[in-house]
Amino acid sequence: MRRIIDNDYLTMLVRLVVGVTFIYASYYKIIEPGDFAKSIWYYHLVPGSLINLIAIILPWVELICGLALIVGVVYRGSLWLVIVMMVVFVAAIASAIARGIDLDCGCFKAAESSSESTWNSLFFDIGLLVLLAQLYLS
């Protein structure tokens, strides 16, 4: 098992997949911060006074972390930030499901009402957490 986890090719592939995913996710949020702010509001987890600040800062953090994972600059720090973000994203989506809020996660476009997409987003984010576990252990 350790040989698989420490495989350099697998690690580079996972770094590329996670990095590109975060870069892609940041694109719409940087271009349309107002729509992303609405997506944050739909979760009903963040005080209204912080929504705009998060909508402006979070996409840039995602972009920088995605680039850092791919390039390998400040790799451990960016890996920890991505892990923390993914845990928060999973908790937010799980909280929305538990409270009966049906929405698209707002990861790659503005959140909308969609119950099937909420579960898909949760499973996608858990899958990314598994990939991040491989990066952490390698």
Side-chain angles (χ1 to χ4, degrees), residues 80-97:
W80 272 106
L81 270 173
V82 169
I83 290 171
V84 168
M85 283 189 285
M86 287 308 304
V87 167
V88 169
F89 297 160
V90 166
I93 293 170
S95 170
I97 291 171

Side-chain angles (χ1 to χ4, degrees), residues 4 12 28 37 43 63 67 74 79 81 83 91 107 115 119 127 129:
I4 295 171
M12 190 60 209
Y28 122 82
Y43 282 93
L63 176 67
L67 289 171
V74 290
L79 178 60
L81 270 173
I83 290 171
C107 305
S115 60
W119 282 101
L129 271 176

Side-chain angles (χ1 to χ4, degrees), residues 33-45:
D35 289 343
F36 180 51
K38 289 179 192 172
S39 297
I40 295 170
W41 179 80
Y42 291 145
Y43 282 93
H44 304 294
L45 291 173

Side-chain angles (χ1 to χ4, degrees), residues 42-45 91-104 112-116 118-119:
Y42 291 145
Y43 282 93
H44 304 294
L45 291 173
I93 293 170
S95 170
I97 291 171
R99 291 179 291 140
I101 300 172
D102 294 329
L103 52 82
D104 184 19
E112 301 169 348
S113 178
S114 172
S115 60
E116 184 178 313
T118 307
W119 282 101

Side-chain angles (χ1 to χ4, degrees), residues 21-84:
T21 301
F22 268 75
I23 292 167
Y24 179 69
S26 71
Y27 175 74
Y28 122 82
K29 298 171 190 170
I30 291 171
I31 301 299
E32 298 290 339
D35 289 343
F36 180 51
K38 289 179 192 172
S39 297
I40 295 170
W41 179 80
Y42 291 145
Y43 282 93
H44 304 294
L45 291 173
V46 179
S49 60
L50 295 178
I51 290 175
N52 288 335
L53 183 64
I54 292 171
I56 292 171
I57 293 174
L58 183 62
W60 291 100
V61 173
E62 288 177 338
L63 176 67
I64 291 167
C65 285
L67 289 171
L69 282 179
I70 293 171
V71 175
V73 177
V74 290
Y75 175 75
R76 282 289 175 195
S78 62
L79 178 60
W80 272 106
L81 270 173
V82 169
I83 290 171
V84 168

